[in-house]
Amino acid sequence: MTTTPDPFPLASRGGLPDDLTLLVSQYPREIWQSHENLGDMATFWLQRHDMFREMGAMLTGAIGDWREGRLEDKAFAGFFVPRLNWYLGNLDGHHNIEDHHYFPVFRKAEPRLVRGFDILDRDHHVIHDALEMNAEAARGFLEGLEQGGDALKRAGEAYATENERLMGFLTRHLEDEEDLIIPVILDQGERKLGVT
């Protein structure tokens, strides 16, 4: 069985196609925070996205500090492991809630954007695979910490590559997801959508 290639792959997408930005052009990011329809759910959801960005930047920064010798191996592992576990688990849970609760609501509310939710759904599968690869590379890296030397260097570089890949995916996906969903909320209101 052949699969149809993704016409908007996350790895190379520069944003949403023009036909899916019709509402974000009416409700640009600059007005989101002051709009009367930005309710508690949307505010919380945007905060979660910001938290994922911040934690991703923190993990990336810690990797850079370790690579540059500003963090010793054991200190790095003690800082890194619990935060990575929290990050991977919470991101996966967040996507499950979106896939099973929010996306169906928004698909129904704004049929013109259904293709956009298909794109976001495919993104979640790509990100899930990247999360698994990230976790595997992190395990290899932690094993490398025990071995030291060249094994540690190789494992550290492999993990850094996986982390950069995952963060690139997330940066693009979170922005596109917000550009699709927040304008729908601002256009219709959380109460009408049933997402309060």
Side-chain angles (χ1 to χ4, degrees), residues 119-190:
I119 290 170
L120 297 179
D121 182 65
R122 285 193 301 272
D123 286 357
H124 283 182
H125 293 286
V126 170
I127 291 168
H128 179 79
D129 291 346
L131 286 171
E132 289 184 351
M133 292 173 73
N134 188 285
E136 184 178 323
R139 280 190 292 277
F141 177 62
L142 294 173
E143 289 170 9
L145 283 171
E146 296 293 319
Q147 298 170 8
D150 288 343
L152 173 57
K153 186 169 183 146
R154 281 191 306 274
E157 292 303 321
Y159 179 73
T161 298
E162 283 303 323
N163 184 68
E164 288 171 10
R165 183 171 165 264
L166 175 62
M167 293 307 140
F169 287 169
L170 283 173
T171 299
R172 174 79 271 144
H173 172 75
L174 293 174
E175 187 171 313
D176 290 348
E177 192 172 79
E178 291 166 1
D179 283 348
L180 205 63
I181 289 175
I182 296 299
V184 175
I185 292 172
L186 300 185
D187 192 56
Q188 299 188 31
E190 291 182 4

Side-chain angles (χ1 to χ4, degrees), residues 70-155:
R70 291 186 295 268
L71 266 179
E72 293 181 6
D73 297 347
K74 287 190 189 271
F76 172 72
F79 174 86
F80 183 76
V81 171
R83 286 164 180 81
L84 178 67
N85 287 337
W86 181 93
Y87 185 75
L88 297 177
N90 276 272
L91 188 59
D92 192 51
H94 179 74
H95 284 172
N96 280 325
I97 291 168
E98 289 175 338
D99 288 341
H100 300 301
H101 180 67
Y102 290 119
F103 286 2
V105 169
F106 293 118
R107 281 177 192 273
K108 185 177 176 185
E110 188 48 81
R112 296 176 296 176
L113 301 180
V114 165
R115 188 167 65 105
F117 292 102
D118 291 341
I119 290 170
L120 297 179
D121 182 65
R122 285 193 301 272
D123 286 357
H124 283 182
H125 293 286
V126 170
I127 291 168
H128 179 79
D129 291 346
L131 286 171
E132 289 184 351
M133 292 173 73
N134 188 285
E136 184 178 323
R139 280 190 292 277
F141 177 62
L142 294 173
E143 289 170 9
L145 283 171
E146 296 293 319
Q147 298 170 8
D150 288 343
L152 173 57
K153 186 169 183 146
R154 281 191 306 274

Side-chain angles (χ1 to χ4, degrees), residues 32-46:
W32 290 2
Q33 293 301 320
S34 61
H35 197 282
E36 64 184 355
N37 283 345
L38 188 78
D40 291 341
M41 188 285 293
T43 299
F44 174 75
W45 185 73
L46 286 169

Side-chain angles (χ1 to χ4, degrees), residues 51-61 87 163 167 170:
M51 179 193 60
F52 288 127
R53 288 179 178 106
E54 290 167 15
M55 183 62 82
M58 185 184 302
L59 291 170
T60 300
Y87 185 75
N163 184 68
M167 293 307 140
L170 283 173

